[in-house]
C-alpha cells in the first residue's frame, strides 16, 4: 500500500509491521501465493496435510510480501499482500 491505512473500527492511523514465520533456519517475512497448495511430493520439509508432510510447489514470481498493520488504539491487525 502506498498510504498507511486508518483503523476501520476507531479511525486511528495504523502502524506498519509484519508477522514473522518461524522455521528452524530462523525467522522470515510471511509471503502470499495465489491459489490452493499443490503437493510437490512427500519429503521431510513442507506442509502438514492430513497427518503427513508434503512439500508444496510455489512459483517464486507469484509470491508477494505480506505487510501487517496494527491499530495502536484497539489492536486490530490488517494484512495486505504487496
Amino acid at each position: 500500500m502506498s498510504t498507511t491505512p486508518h483503523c476501520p473500527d476507531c479511525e486511528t492511523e495504523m502502524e506498519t509491521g509484519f508477522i514473522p514465520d518461524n522455521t528452524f533456519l530462523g525467522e522470515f517475512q510471511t509471503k502470499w501465493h495465489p491459489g490452493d497448495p499443490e503437493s510437490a511430493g512427500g519429503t521431510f520439509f513442507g506442509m502438514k496435510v492430513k497427518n503427513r508432510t508434503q512439500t508444496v510447489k510455489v512459483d517464486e514470481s507469484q509470491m508477494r510480501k505480506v505487510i501487517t498493520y496494527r491499530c495502536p488504539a484497539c489492536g486490530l491487525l490488517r494484512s495486505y499482500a504487496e
Side-chain angles (χ1 to χ4, degrees):
M1 296 188 80
S2 59
T3 61
T4 303
H6 284 76
C7 178
D9 292 344
C10 64
E11 297 300 321
T12 302
E13 185 171 324
M14 299 178 87
E15 302 172 325
T16 303
F18 69 100
I19 300 171
D21 279 342
N22 296 309
T23 71
F24 68 96
L25 296 174
E27 288 76 29
F28 298 94
Q29 185 171 5
T30 302
K31 293 186 179 177
W32 176 88
H33 192 281
D36 292 325
E38 178 184 343
S39 173
T43 67
F44 180 74
F45 304 104
M47 287 181 73
K48 188 80 169 175
V49 181
K50 294 186 181 175
N51 296 324
R52 52 181 226 219
T53 302
Q54 294 180 336
T55 300
V56 175
K57 292 181 186 177
V58 295
D59 177 356
E60 292 289 331
S61 69
Q62 297 292 313
M63 303 285 278
R64 302 290 181 259
K65 287 189 327 182
V66 174
I67 305 298
T68 301
Y69 296 91
R70 178 187 171 274
C71 176
C74 71
L76 176 74
L77 298 177
R78 289 207 117 167
S79 296
Y80 297 89
E82 294 195 338

